[in-house]
Amino acid sequence: MMRTKRFILALGAFLIIAPLIGSATVFVQQASAAASCSDPVAWFGRARWCGYFYNRLEQFGPQVRIGGVPGSVNTAQAFIDMVMGDLGSGNAQRVTEAQFVILTMIGRGSGLPKSVSAAQINDWQSRVRSYANLSENGTTSSGSNGRIDWFVSSHWACGTRNTFYQATFNDIAPYIEAPSNGNCAKPINDVHIYFRDASGAIIYVIRRACMNPLGQIGPLSSMPVPNFNLTPAVNVTVNGGAASSAQVGDVVQFTYVVANSGSTASTNVGCSTYANVHSGYYAASGAPAPGGSPGPDPECPRVFNVGSTTLASETITIATTNQTICRSLFVNPATLGGGERGVESCVIVAAEPYFKVFGGDISAGNGLATAPSTCVSNTNAAIISWNRRASAGYAGAGAQYAAYALETITDFASAQNLAGGAAEPVGLSFANTSTNVGVGNFGGSFGSASCIPDYYSRMPATGTRPLPGNVSSMTNGAYYSASSVNPFVGGNVNPNNKISVYVNGDVFISSDITYTGAWNLSSTPLFELVVRGNIYISSNVHRLDGVYIAQANGASGGTIYTCATTAAPIALTDGAFYNTCNSKLAVNGAFVANSVELLRTAATLQQATAAETSNAAGAGNNAAEIFNFSPSVWMVQPLDTSGTVDNYDAITSLPPVL
């Protein structure tokens, strides 16, 4: 840009005035005719008006960078990009400005060569980043060596050292701010960029309007030797809360995070994510191996500042159960000179099957009678299932009437859907004196329970028959007895048929046992199975009508297993367990046993609703096991030892009505 110069002779000195044309900076200096580059040093090893590179005298010039520093330059990388762009621009002034900034920031003294090497550029970039490698917010950058304040409003006093561009020599020279220059005399502040060390002291300043380094110009400290320690993590939430398992319909979120517990930012580190799905149960590995389908892009390689860095997140709505969904994250290297470090987090997608009792009660802790009204109760007996609690109207496991337990009642509601009666979930829980329904404590610790009769002792000494091939072939009014029966083939029980079966050993029921036809009060059927041992119910059985009793034989037996494949407990750790038992079982009658192992895996608690009905086959109930205790169960009388049936003379309902 052309400048107009006016020389005025006054008292043997020259006043050099460079009036402003366009946006260029005007420098008005008071100089003597004898001024030269041998005068006392003003700054960076040069006298006033003498260039950094060539040490030649030129007493006026424009701003250091055309256009100054744009407002968008407010991060270390943006600053680096601007200077590097100028260095490669081909514009003589901008190239010189970039060379000057790079070399003074790394502390190289004045003089030639003017060019900057690749090593010097790398050194400069590393130093700039060391003031911004911890955090940046567009106003302030913080790093291992200090910080950068990108917009500092301040006014420089007269006598402050400033710089200008020497157009004649393509160089940068210092000068001293004086009232005649106008900068230090104006009443308003300018906006500057401040580089500060770790103590807050200013080490390099740039005026944004013109990119003139002034007041203080470095050098910046070298980047410290990286001391980083990276720990990857995959954090998991289910429906917004911490959990390690989920159900169908749940929303699972994986968040990939790297924590740097070292004292400096990392070098450029590689990282990768993997997504793996395993059938059935899978335990997360403490030291996983990389591999599998790629997970979300972590945008690596990258520098990890001290503290925690979130790389990505992933949200999944569960549609399939019986699987384990795993995600892993690896960083390499985890430390300077170290190796790869990885982590794996998994969510087990499991069913939480529940059971329901309609038309009756459930009792836990009753002992087997050894004499009339004499038995030893089991004070450890509990009722345990899953219930959705208050947020879902106590949907899930529960009884329509009462629940008794000598130990805890956990997530099993009483008075469930009992219109006009006691309030669920603990209105008919015995006892309900110490409850905390918010955490699933629905009562228990009842003082005593009635004794269970010794049903097996009622087997007649005579008149019993060997078992036929299936239930359909059994004769009305007959007793049957046998040792272990495997399999026990089900069938139909016709109206008015009353059949009692006694087995001294284990029984494996292989097919449904069903009351068929139209029956009424006078023709109510009865099927009664009394076992001194265990009852195993095949996974293929979906309906059992009647009464099923399993008594202990000494120290063994007395358990009913609702799912089995043979006359033996199913292997719960087997990966095929879920699929094997993934069906419903409806019991229209009652179970009496030392313990009942509820093993069906159909549906899950997430699918439970508060208004489920006793229709086991319909869509209105998602319980895995359903017990319907209708009046027909207790109204019909079993055969006595003579082979006849006793009848009621009268039936009266007395309070409490449960």
Side-chain angles (χ1 to χ4, degrees):
M1 178 176 294
M2 295 298 295
R3 296 189 178 274
T4 302
K5 295 184 282 290
R6 176 178 298 172
F7 298 92
I8 302 175
L9 180 61
L11 300 177
F14 292 93
L15 179 64
I16 304 175
I17 302 175
L20 179 65
I21 299 178
S23 61
T25 299
V26 178
F27 302 115
V28 181
Q29 303 287 346
Q30 183 71 40
S32 69
S36 72
C37 289
S38 61
D39 286 348
V41 171
W43 206 9
F44 49 79
R46 295 294 189 233
R48 287 186 293 178
W49 313 300
C50 296
Y52 173 80
F53 293 107
Y54 300 111
N55 198 25
R56 295 175 182 174
L57 180 67
E58 185 172 13
Q59 296 178 342
F60 59 90
Q63 57 193 8
V64 169
R65 184 180 191 271
I66 304 167
V69 182
S72 59
V73 176
N74 59 0
T75 64
Q77 191 58 52
F79 181 77
I80 290 170
D81 291 343
M82 179 191 70
V83 174
M84 291 302 296
D86 291 348
L87 185 64
S89 68
N91 178 279
Q93 181 175 348
R94 289 199 169 182
V95 171
T96 298
E97 156 252 307
Q99 292 167 327
F100 177 79
V101 168
I102 292 171
L103 294 174
T104 54
M105 279 191 166
I106 66 174
R108 199 208 74 170
S110 56
L112 297 174
K114 188 178 181 183
S115 60
V116 293
S117 67
Q120 288 171 324
I121 291 173
N122 289 337
D123 182 20
W124 168 72
Q125 292 184 357
S126 175
R127 292 181 190 228
V128 172
R129 291 191 176 106
S130 73
Y131 290 78
N133 59 359
L134 298 181
S135 67
E136 293 189 284
N137 60 20
T139 300
T140 301
S141 300
S142 298
S144 306
N145 281 330
R147 76 173 193 264
I148 308 171
D149 295 320
W150 293 101
F151 300 94
V152 179
S153 180
S154 61
H155 180 65
W156 292 93
C158 293
T160 298
R161 294 171 295 186
N162 205 334
T163 52
F164 67 98
Y165 175 67
Q166 290 182 326
T168 302
F169 306 117
N170 197 16
D171 205 346
I172 307 292
Y175 73 99
I176 306 299
E177 286 285 3
S180 57
N181 302 336
N183 288 327
C184 62
K186 66 183 181 180
I188 61 173
N189 290 342
D190 281 326
V191 180
H192 304 82
I193 301 171
Y194 281 13
F195 286 78
R196 300 178 185 269
D197 65 17
S199 69
I202 301 169
I203 55 176
Y204 203 104
V205 178
I206 296 172
R207 183 183 175 195
R208 295 193 73 102
C210 52
M211 201 176 167
N212 291 7
L214 76 165
Q216 189 76 25
I217 55 170
L220 306 186
S221 297
S222 298
M223 180 70 174
V225 175
N227 176 29
F228 59 93
N229 184 19
L230 306 182
T231 302
V234 181
N235 300 324
V236 185
T237 62
V238 178
N239 298 329
S244 60
S245 64
Q247 303 176 65
V248 170
D250 285 343
V251 177
V252 177
Q253 184 175 64
F254 295 96
T255 304
Y256 301 81
V257 178
V258 173
N260 181 0
S261 59
S263 60
T264 73
S266 72
T267 57
N268 229 23
V269 169
C271 53
S272 54
T273 64
Y274 297 98
N276 291 295
V277 179
H278 305 272
S279 178
Y281 172 78
Y282 170 83
S285 173
S293 301
D297 183 6
E299 299 183 4
C300 286
R302 66 193 298 168
V303 171
F304 290 98
N305 293 329
V306 174
S308 183
T309 302
T310 298
L311 303 182
S313 63
E314 178 184 11
T315 302
I316 302 170
T317 300
I318 303 298
T320 305
T321 193
N322 192 35
Q323 61 177 335
T324 304
I325 301 174
C326 297
R327 297 293 185 265
S328 55
L329 171 63
F330 295 83
V331 291
N332 191 12
T335 59
L336 185 65
E340 186 174 60
R341 184 179 292 169
V343 68
E344 181 178 47
S345 295
C346 296
V347 171
I348 303 164
V349 184
E352 293 185 0
Y354 60 98
F355 74 105
K356 298 183 77 71
V357 177
F358 293 93
D361 308 333
I362 179 172
S363 180
N366 312 66
L368 182 66
T370 55
S373 300
T374 302
C375 61
V376 178
S377 298
N378 182 0
T379 57
N380 293 319
I383 304 171
I384 302 172
S385 191
W386 277 290
N387 188 281
R388 296 183 66 182
R389 305 178 187 170
S391 62
Y394 300 102
Q400 189 174 7
Y401 296 114
Y404 302 80
L406 301 192
E407 234 294 327
T408 58
I409 300 174
T410 302
D411 278 324
F412 185 88
S414 65
Q416 197 171 53
N417 296 329
L418 185 60
E424 62 180 316
V426 298
L428 294 177
S429 297
F430 294 90
N432 61 9
T433 54
S434 298
T435 62
N436 187 344
V437 296
V439 297
N441 180 358
F442 288 6
S445 299
F446 195 55
S448 63
S450 59
C451 297
I452 299 174
D454 185 353
Y455 291 100
Y456 193 81
S457 67
R458 297 178 180 180
M459 181 180 68
T462 60
T464 57
R465 308 179 185 183
L467 288 177
N470 56 61
V471 170
S472 296
S473 301
M474 294 181 180
T475 303
N476 175 40
Y479 288 101
Y480 295 90
S481 67
S483 57
S484 295
V485 184
N486 304 303
F488 185 90
V489 182
N492 297 328
V493 180
N494 295 320
N496 210 38
N497 280 4
K498 295 174 178 58
I499 301 167
S500 295
V501 176
Y502 294 86
V503 177
N504 187 23
D506 295 338
V507 170
F508 173 64
I509 302 174
S510 62
S511 53
D512 291 0
I513 299 174
T514 308
Y515 292 175
T516 59
W519 46 271
N520 53 36
L521 178 61
S522 61
S523 62
T524 303
L526 172 67
F527 177 80
E528 184 182 50
L529 174 63
V530 183
V531 169
R532 192 159 66 174
N534 296 324
I535 297 176
Y536 300 94
I537 302 169
S538 170
S539 58
N540 295 319
V541 174
H542 307 302
R543 176 176 171 179
L544 292 176
D545 294 350
V547 179
Y548 300 82
I549 302 167
Q551 294 183 192
N553 186 1
S556 63
T559 300
I560 299 177
Y561 298 88
T562 64
C563 184
T565 54
T566 61
I570 195 167
L572 300 181
T573 57
D574 186 347
F577 166 66
Y578 171 82
N579 291 326
T580 299
C581 298
N582 189 17
S583 61
K584 292 183 180 182
L585 173 65
V587 179
N588 298 307
F591 277 4
V592 180
N594 191 49
S595 68
V596 178
E597 298 288 339
L598 300 164
L599 302 177
R600 296 298 173 114
T601 60
T604 186
L605 181 64
Q606 190 74 2
Q607 299 168 311
T609 62
E612 288 176 325
T613 68
S614 61
N615 181 13
N621 197 315
N622 288 301
E625 287 102 350
I626 301 167
F627 295 86
N628 293 311
F629 190 83
S630 71
S632 65
V633 178
W634 54 265
M635 289 177 66
V636 64
Q637 294 295 293
L639 297 167
D640 62 19
T641 55
S642 65
T644 60
V645 178
D646 293 328
N647 293 317
Y648 290 105
D649 293 325
I651 299 174
T652 301
S653 177
L654 297 175
V657 178
L658 303 180

